[in-house]
Amino acid sequence: METSQSIDPCMPLSTAGHPPRPGYGALPAVPALWDLVTVPARQGLEAVDILRRGAGEAVGPVLHDDGCDTLGFLVPPGTAAGWDVPGSTCTGTDGRGLTLPPLPPVEGSDWLLPPGEADLATDPAVLRAALGEAARMIEAADSCR
């Protein structure tokens, strides 16, 4: 498994480190290959809003952890190799053909946007732009306090 991470000492741990959910793969599933980009929840929620407002810029399935500290965006396989967005982590699947069950693939998480209600994966370039815009919006809002 390949992981690319931009180091930020204030970054909460991602759900990607949780062990797989028991029974994962035994459930009816949609075949999919994907990597997982995790970000702080505040930035991720802003990015989801930006992506959903964008013209033709669809967002794929999105996970959130039970503590609501992080969001995870499913992106196409291979994204982890070149992911360099500060404050985020991208975990790769190494093209192992993982399946995407209706239940979240990691324990302690749930779907914000479940498979079937979203595109199969979020375009990494579009996600990178949305995360950048979200970070700028958060910085501007925080500087007004």
Side-chain angles (χ1 to χ4, degrees):
M1 181 177 299
E2 178 179 327
T3 300
S4 175
Q5 178 175 10
S6 296
I7 305 300
D8 179 347
C10 297
M11 174 75 180
L13 295 175
S14 74
T15 58
H18 289 288
R21 180 179 293 272
Y24 177 72
L27 303 168
V30 176
L33 298 175
W34 46 267
D35 288 356
L36 182 69
V37 172
T38 54
V39 298
R42 185 176 177 199
Q43 183 181 13
L45 290 169
E46 288 289 344
V48 168
D49 286 344
I50 291 164
L51 290 167
R52 294 185 98 183
R53 285 192 317 256
E57 296 176 354
V59 59
V62 178
L63 288 164
H64 68 82
D65 63 1
D66 284 341
C68 296
D69 294 329
T70 60
L71 289 186
F73 292 83
L74 273 65
V75 293
T79 300
W83 192 256
D84 60 355
V85 177
S88 67
T89 301
C90 188
T91 303
T93 59
D94 296 329
R96 288 179 288 197
L98 298 177
T99 57
L100 187 58
L103 293 176
V106 291
E107 192 170 336
S109 67
D110 201 357
W111 292 111
L112 177 67
L113 295 176
E117 291 183 21
D119 281 0
L120 198 50
T122 301
D123 181 298
V126 172
L127 178 58
R128 180 179 278 113
L131 290 172
E133 184 178 340
R136 290 186 297 279
M137 290 173 61
I138 291 168
E139 183 179 343
D142 287 351
S143 68
C144 292
R145 290 184 182 181

